[in-house]
Amino acid sequence: MADEEVAEEEVVSVGGPLVSETLISPAGAEKPLAPPKYEVRPGLGEKFQAENVREIILQTMQAQLTGRQYRADQAAHWSKVIANAVRQKVQELDMKRYKIMAQSTIIEMKGAGVKCAQRCIWDPETDAYVDDIFKNDTIFCYTIVYGVYMY
């Protein structure tokens, strides 16, 4: 019985007839909590927005690299700026419960071939990635964004 709160009745006299007030404890005034909601899959309109992400990647690479020539001392900095800007803009799309990862690679165009591969263990129904390429006479930039749904 110690855990249960009991309403107490108090009688107040203020120069007139007796007035009865019922005091309710704060614990009794709280609404019961709704049962927890476990989201295992994103809702219909909450999936990874691949086309919007592709536009962000392309616009960011063009803004950073158009008109530039490859410089080995600046390539690492440009790559970081592109990856950070893409990740920030994709996060502003507010895709709830998605972990966003962005990677950008800049190499010099010298006629050599490039091969890239990624391997991940993920859920193909919820997780996705988008990549795009920017090329000019001296720069080859490859940027990829991963969206992994957090269960």
Side-chain angles (χ1 to χ4, degrees), residues 22-127:
T22 303
L23 300 175
I24 299 175
S25 66
E30 292 180 13
K31 294 180 181 179
L33 294 175
K37 182 179 176 185
Y38 299 102
E39 296 180 21
V40 179
R41 300 272 183 249
L44 184 60
E46 297 175 346
K47 287 200 171 190
F48 190 74
Q49 303 170 16
E51 289 306 312
N52 293 341
V53 174
R54 187 178 310 280
E55 289 177 24
I56 289 171
I57 292 171
L58 190 57
Q59 290 172 359
T60 305
M61 287 191 299
Q62 287 176 345
Q64 288 294 320
L65 300 174
T66 299
R68 291 193 176 177
Q69 299 296 317
Y70 181 82
R71 291 180 47 194
D73 60 332
Q74 291 293 312
H77 174 71
W78 295 339
S79 182
K80 287 177 189 175
V81 169
I82 290 170
N84 287 335
V86 167
R87 184 183 49 81
Q88 183 68 30
K89 290 176 185 176
V90 170
Q91 285 179 335
E92 289 172 4
L93 292 176
D94 198 31
M95 291 181 281
K96 295 178 181 173
R97 300 186 68 173
Y98 270 94
K99 174 81 171 178
I100 304 298
M101 296 165 275
Q103 177 183 355
S104 184
T105 305
I106 298 177
I107 59 175
E108 186 175 10
M109 292 279 283
K110 284 197 168 185
V114 175
K115 295 182 182 180
C116 299
Q118 296 90 24
R119 292 182 188 221
C120 301
I121 297 175
W122 65 13
D123 185 352
E125 293 180 20
T126 59
D127 304 336

Side-chain angles (χ1 to χ4, degrees), residues 134-150:
F134 173 88
K135 291 191 235 180
N136 68 14
D137 294 337
T138 61
I139 296 174
F140 177 88
C141 180
Y142 176 72
T143 301
I144 186 166
V145 174
Y146 299 94
V148 179
Y149 191 75
M150 304 300 285

